């Protein structure tokens, strides 16, 4: 029986098989208006009500086969929205299906939607809409069973004055006689959870970058985007070699405006990505490897609820680094793991090492999953799988298991117990009792329920990290010199962008360097003016830790023009803590609040002590 503490739907009585959306996009009113038709099936006997999740949606009517149905919209739960109870004309027997149509409109408070003014786009001429439904925001886009335990197909007719794209396959478009509106038709035949329903509308154009891939973006960004993501097909093929054939038909990319709150979102058939990846040197496209890995881990095999989120993200990071290892070499994938370990440590430090959200399998009863979002499920999950691979005998044992995991659970939603039971079963059937004995030696309680850092400190190939460490130590030794010598522009000339990031992170772990040293470092390495967003982030955080006030205007400019939470949240948090920075951080956020996605705005408000 599905269990999801973050859904108010009657998951124990009905399941949704298909949803058809018919929506009109109104940029003037900033609303989506229309209907959602849900095909539901009873999974218990004598089901008289269907309870759906909603959040700030204006429910106008409910019907079945043209007959009006009575409904109740409950008062709004602080975190989970309003349960919509629809009374069926007659009870459903187990296995019986019916279709329910709900007429509704979104409102200004719907957190899934971000409506951008023309000024917030690259082209500055047309408005833009995009949605972000993970974790529990699909209920503010449409009435649904908003739980990853429910997997469904969907279709949509989206009527809009600008091009629409969705996490589905386009099925044609019909231009209306008045010429100003077009209905775009979509179909997603693979069963997906509600959080993967996604829509974007704007002045979009597409360009093919591979045999099954098109990049979509505003015309002004197209050249940079098409160039940056040209290796997409190689990532997909490598994933197929490691796992199973790619199951979704298309793998397209949508490069969004800068307010998109994440690095990427693995919406099937159409990955959403941040423009912060457009570094001009293809150095940040590893995010695409991550989102492609989600095509198997998360989209095909899905967490049952958000308490088991690591089954999506830990597995995806593990596969992402497998793909990188095959394409670039093991030293590169292990270098990524070293970087990830640092990010995990930062998340644990932010929460506190005994905070329940630092457990791999946290309890989320009465909790908002967004509050638990951190690097923990990603990197602690990765570290568990990395440890298990080493413990069980290496890639020749573990990679066949990874493939079998996908084959076993494809199209299903699972929890940690399901995962663990199959791991034991596979190892016993394939390799015998010896592997079961090894699994029995794993401290499962410490890994899954323990808080803080992982119970085992994995060792990674640090070949690429050594030069970063060496340069960092050289700067550290020079801290008492009034005019440090021996540094030059060639110090980082041969560094990859990731090495530059690691160098800056290692410097940030030291006691802050004198401001004169930071002046010299910037003069030699041109860090303030760098285009690469990851390097820029680490440089600004390092400077903020040192109360280097010269950087404050740069921080304000970056944090107010980059809505990716990985960047704007730590920058504003660090500015808030820096000398004379608290008021500036709050002023920056308040002034630019409308720029941020509602999910990001809510989290930043909490970071800066401005939440109601």
């Amino acid at each position: 029986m599905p269990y999801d503490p973050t859904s108010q739907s009657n998951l124990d009585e009905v399941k949704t098989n298909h949803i058809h959306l018919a929506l009109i996009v109104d940029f003037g009113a900033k609303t989506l208006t229309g209907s959602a038709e849900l095909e539901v099936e009873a999974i218990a006997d004598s089901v008289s009500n269907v309870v759906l999740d909603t959040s700030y949606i204006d429910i106008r009517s409910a019907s079945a086969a043209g007959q009006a149905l009575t409904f109740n919209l409950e008062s709004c739960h602080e975190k989970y929205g309003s349960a919509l109870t629809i009374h069926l004309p007659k009870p459903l027997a187990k296995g019986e299906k019916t279709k329910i149509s709900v007429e509704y409109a979104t409102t200004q408070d719907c957190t899934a939607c971000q409506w951008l003014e023309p000024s917030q786009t690259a082209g500055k001429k047309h408005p833009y809409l995009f949605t972000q439904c993970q974790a529990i925001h699909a209920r503010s886009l449409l009435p649904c069973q908003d739980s990853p335990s429910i997997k469904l197909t969907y279709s949509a007719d989206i009527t809009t004055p600008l091009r629409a794209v969705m996490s589905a396959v386009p099925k044609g478009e019909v231009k209306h006689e008045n010429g100003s509106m077009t209905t775009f038709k979509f179909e997603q035949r693979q069963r997906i959870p509600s959080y993967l329903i996604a829509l974007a509308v704007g002045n979009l154009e597409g360009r093919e970058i591979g045999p099954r891939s098109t990049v979509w973006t505003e015309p002004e960004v197209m050249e940079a985007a098409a160039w940056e993501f040209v290796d997409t097909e190689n990532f997909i093929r490598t994933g197929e070699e490691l796992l199973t054939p790619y199951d979704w038909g298309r793998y397209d990319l949508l490069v969004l405006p800068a307010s998109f709150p994440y690095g990427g979102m693995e919406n099937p058939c159409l990955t959403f990505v941040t423009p912060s990846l457009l570094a001009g040197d293809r150095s940040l496209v590893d995010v695409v490897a991550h989102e492609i890995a989600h095509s198997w881990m998360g989209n095909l095999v899905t967490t049952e609820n958000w308490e088991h989120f690591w089954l999506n993200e830990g597995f995806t990071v593990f596969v992402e680094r497998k793909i990188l290892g095959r394409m670039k070499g093991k030293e590169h994938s292990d270098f990524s793991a070293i970087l990830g370990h640092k990010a995990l440590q930062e998340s644990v430090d932010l929460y506190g090492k005994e905070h329940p959200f630092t457990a791999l399998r946290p309890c989320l009863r009465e909790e908002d999953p967004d509050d638990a979002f951190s690097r923990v499920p990603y990197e602690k999950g990765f570290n568990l799988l990395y440890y298990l691979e080493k413990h069980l005998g290496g890639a020749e044992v573990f990679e066949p298991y990874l493939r079998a995991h996908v084959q076993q659970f494809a199209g299903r939603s699972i929890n940690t117990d399901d995962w663990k039971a199959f791991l034991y079963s596979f190892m016993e059937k394939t390799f015998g009792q010896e592997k079961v004995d090894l699994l029995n030696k794993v401290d499962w309680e410490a890994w899954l329920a323990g808080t803080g850092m992982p119970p085992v400190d994995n060792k990674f190939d640090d070949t690429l990290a050594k030069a970063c460490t060496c340069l960092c130590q050289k700067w550290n030794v020079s801290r008492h010199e009034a005019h440090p010598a021996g540094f030059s522009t060639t110090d980082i000339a041969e560094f990859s962008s990731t090495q530059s990031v690691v160098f800056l992170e290692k410097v940030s772990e030291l006691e802050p360097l004198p401001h004169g040293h930071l002046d010299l470092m910037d003069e030699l390495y041109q860090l303030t003016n760098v285009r690469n967003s990851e390097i820029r982030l680490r440089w600004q955080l390092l400077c903020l830790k040192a109360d280097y006030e010269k950087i404050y205007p740069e921080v304000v400019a970056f944090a107010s023009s980059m809505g990716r939470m990985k960047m704007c949240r730590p920058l504003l948090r660090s500015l808030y803590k820096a000398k004379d920075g608290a008021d500036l951080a709050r002023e920056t956020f308040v002034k630019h609040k409308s720029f941020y996605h509602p999910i990001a705005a809510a989290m930043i408000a909490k970071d800066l002590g401005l939440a109601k």
Side-chain angles (χ1 to χ4, degrees):
M1 194 65 69
Y3 161 73
D4 190 338
T6 66
S7 172
Q8 299 182 89
S9 172
N10 55 338
L11 301 170
D12 57 339
E13 293 186 310
V14 294
K15 67 175 183 178
T16 307
N17 290 326
H18 183 80
I19 296 176
H20 177 72
L21 295 171
L23 297 172
I24 298 170
V25 180
D26 185 335
F27 279 105
K30 295 184 178 176
T31 58
L32 297 169
T33 306
S35 64
E37 182 184 70
L38 295 83
E39 181 195 280
V40 297
E41 177 181 344
I43 57 172
D45 275 320
S46 301
V47 176
S48 55
N49 298 317
V50 173
V51 184
L52 301 175
D53 292 301
T54 78
S55 181
Y56 296 105
I57 287 176
D58 176 15
I59 305 295
R60 297 177 175 178
S61 69
S63 61
Q67 177 186 348
L69 302 178
T70 58
F71 63 88
N72 300 99
L73 191 62
E74 305 300 329
S75 57
C76 188
H77 183 284
E78 181 190 2
K79 295 183 170 76
Y80 304 142
S82 304
L84 171 65
T85 302
I86 300 171
H87 307 288
L88 299 174
K90 65 180 182 65
L92 297 179
K94 187 174 181 179
E96 193 176 351
K97 299 175 183 176
T98 189
K99 288 183 179 178
I100 298 168
S101 182
V102 181
E103 301 275 339
Y104 74 97
T106 61
T107 67
Q108 299 292 315
D109 295 316
C110 289
T111 51
C113 303
Q114 186 171 18
W115 300 85
L116 301 180
E117 299 295 336
S119 61
Q120 293 173 284
T121 68
K124 311 295 183 190
K125 293 176 185 173
H126 300 279
Y128 199 110
L129 161 69
F130 70 87
T131 66
Q132 169 61 35
C133 288
Q134 193 182 48
I136 57 170
H137 301 277
R139 64 194 67 179
S140 72
L141 177 64
L142 70 154
C144 61
Q145 292 183 289
D146 195 10
S147 167
S149 66
I150 299 292
K151 299 189 88 168
L152 49 89
T153 57
Y154 86 90
S155 53
D157 296 338
I158 307 296
T159 302
T160 167
L162 296 166
R163 176 165 293 282
V165 290
M166 292 194 82
S167 56
V169 176
K171 289 293 176 181
E173 53 195 72
V174 178
K175 199 156 184 63
H176 291 219
E177 287 184 10
N178 64 13
S180 66
M181 300 290 272
T182 302
T183 297
F184 296 87
K185 297 177 178 291
F186 301 93
E187 187 173 43
Q188 178 53 266
R189 292 184 179 180
Q190 289 271 27
R191 290 165 60 232
I192 63 169
S194 56
Y195 74 83
L196 292 177
I197 297 173
L199 167 68
V201 181
N203 182 33
L204 300 171
E205 65 177 41
R207 183 181 298 179
E208 286 204 3
I209 54 169
R212 46 189 155 179
S213 298
T214 294
V215 64
W216 293 93
T217 191
E218 294 177 75
E220 295 79 7
V221 186
M222 179 55 76
E223 291 302 325
W227 186 87
E228 203 82 26
F229 298 120
V230 75
D231 288 331
T232 297
E233 179 63 21
N234 291 335
F235 286 128
I236 302 172
R237 281 202 201 118
T238 308
E240 288 182 312
E241 290 165 11
L242 179 66
L243 298 168
T244 61
Y246 181 76
D247 226 9
W248 302 90
R250 299 291 303 171
Y251 183 84
D252 293 347
L253 291 151
L254 173 68
V255 182
L256 286 127
S259 59
F260 181 58
Y262 297 104
M265 181 62 212
E266 64 273 16
N267 299 312
C269 304
L270 184 69
T271 284
F272 285 20
V273 293
T274 168
S276 68
L277 303 184
L278 303 178
D281 58 5
R282 299 187 181 131
S283 59
L284 301 180
V285 294
D286 291 1
V287 167
V288 176
H290 180 90
E291 303 310 333
I292 285 171
H294 267 305
S295 303
W296 294 271
M297 307 302 188
N299 294 10
L300 213 51
V301 182
T302 307
T303 179
E304 181 180 271
N305 64 52
W306 300 108
E307 295 182 342
H308 304 272
F309 187 41
W310 81 271
L311 291 170
N312 282 14
E313 296 299 352
F315 266 91
T316 294
V317 173
F318 189 74
V319 170
E320 168 201 345
R321 288 180 183 145
K322 285 277 184 187
I323 291 172
L324 285 182
R326 289 186 175 206
M327 290 179 70
K328 294 184 178 180
K330 189 174 185 299
E331 69 275 15
H332 284 274
S333 58
D334 273 23
F335 193 48
S336 172
I338 291 169
L339 205 56
H341 193 271
K342 172 75 164 51
L344 174 59
Q345 184 68 65
E346 288 171 355
S347 286
V348 170
D349 291 346
L350 185 63
Y351 282 124
K353 64 182 180 180
E354 294 179 2
H355 194 287
F357 288 170
T358 65
L360 203 50
R361 191 173 55 185
C363 175
L364 294 180
R365 287 186 197 90
E366 296 301 316
E367 299 285 2
D368 182 342
D370 284 343
D371 290 339
F373 182 83
S374 73
R375 296 311 296 176
V376 171
Y378 296 74
E379 298 296 345
K380 201 170 185 178
F382 162 81
N383 272 274
L384 170 56
L385 296 171
Y386 188 92
Y387 160 72
L388 287 173
E389 180 174 73
K390 284 270 195 293
H391 183 63
L392 290 167
E396 60 272 20
V397 172
F398 212 68
E399 288 185 3
Y401 155 70
L402 274 183
R403 193 174 299 114
H405 169 85
V406 173
Q407 292 165 338
Q408 173 73 11
F409 295 120
R412 292 171 57 187
S413 299
I414 65 169
N415 60 38
T416 301
D417 291 339
D418 299 325
W419 161 75
K420 189 177 162 191
F422 180 70
L423 173 64
Y424 266 82
S425 166
F426 176 86
M427 289 299 162
E428 182 176 22
K429 286 178 184 173
T430 312
F431 298 106
Q433 186 61 36
E434 175 205 354
K435 302 303 182 192
V436 174
D437 293 341
L438 285 171
L439 285 172
N440 286 335
K441 292 178 181 175
V442 175
D443 189 344
W444 294 109
E445 181 69 14
W447 272 107
L448 299 174
T451 58
M453 294 297 284
V456 175
D457 190 13
N458 289 315
K459 300 301 177 197
F460 305 108
D461 182 336
D462 65 349
T463 303
L464 296 174
K466 285 175 180 172
C468 315
T469 304
C470 186
L471 184 59
C472 170
Q473 289 171 343
K474 189 175 172 185
W475 279 97
N476 191 32
V477 167
S478 77
R479 69 170 54 246
H480 299 299
E481 298 172 19
H483 302 287
F487 297 101
S488 78
T489 55
T490 61
D491 294 342
I492 63 169
E494 300 299 315
F495 276 15
S496 68
S497 64
T498 315
Q499 285 178 299
S500 295
V501 164
V502 169
F503 161 66
L504 292 170
E505 289 202 332
K506 287 187 175 297
V507 175
S508 73
E509 291 171 11
L510 306 172
E511 282 296 308
L513 290 171
H515 290 183
H517 283 58
L518 297 179
D519 287 338
L520 178 62
M521 191 180 287
D522 194 25
E523 180 188 330
L524 294 174
Y525 305 156
Q526 292 295 299
L527 295 165
T528 296
N529 298 323
V530 73
R531 178 174 169 182
N532 184 298
S533 59
E534 296 284 349
I535 297 173
R536 194 173 169 193
L537 171 67
R538 276 28 173 246
W539 168 242
Q540 292 188 5
L541 290 175
L542 186 160
C543 291
L544 287 169
K545 187 179 175 186
D547 298 326
Y548 185 66
E549 294 186 44
K550 284 183 186 176
I551 206 69
Y552 290 10
E554 299 292 335
V555 172
V556 168
F558 192 21
S560 61
S561 61
M562 176 47 62
R564 185 181 178 186
M565 289 194 289
K566 177 186 178 180
M567 295 177 174
C568 59
R569 283 187 69 193
L571 284 171
L572 289 172
R573 269 199 311 262
S574 297
L575 180 59
Y576 183 66
K577 292 176 184 174
K579 179 185 175 187
D580 298 330
D583 288 344
L584 181 58
R586 285 179 159 183
E587 287 165 12
T588 300
F589 170 64
V590 170
K591 181 179 178 182
H592 299 280
K593 186 177 179 181
S594 65
F595 164 75
Y596 300 106
H597 188 278
I599 297 171
M603 301 305 289
I604 296 168
K606 289 177 184 176
D607 292 341
L608 303 183
L610 293 171
K612 292 177 183 175

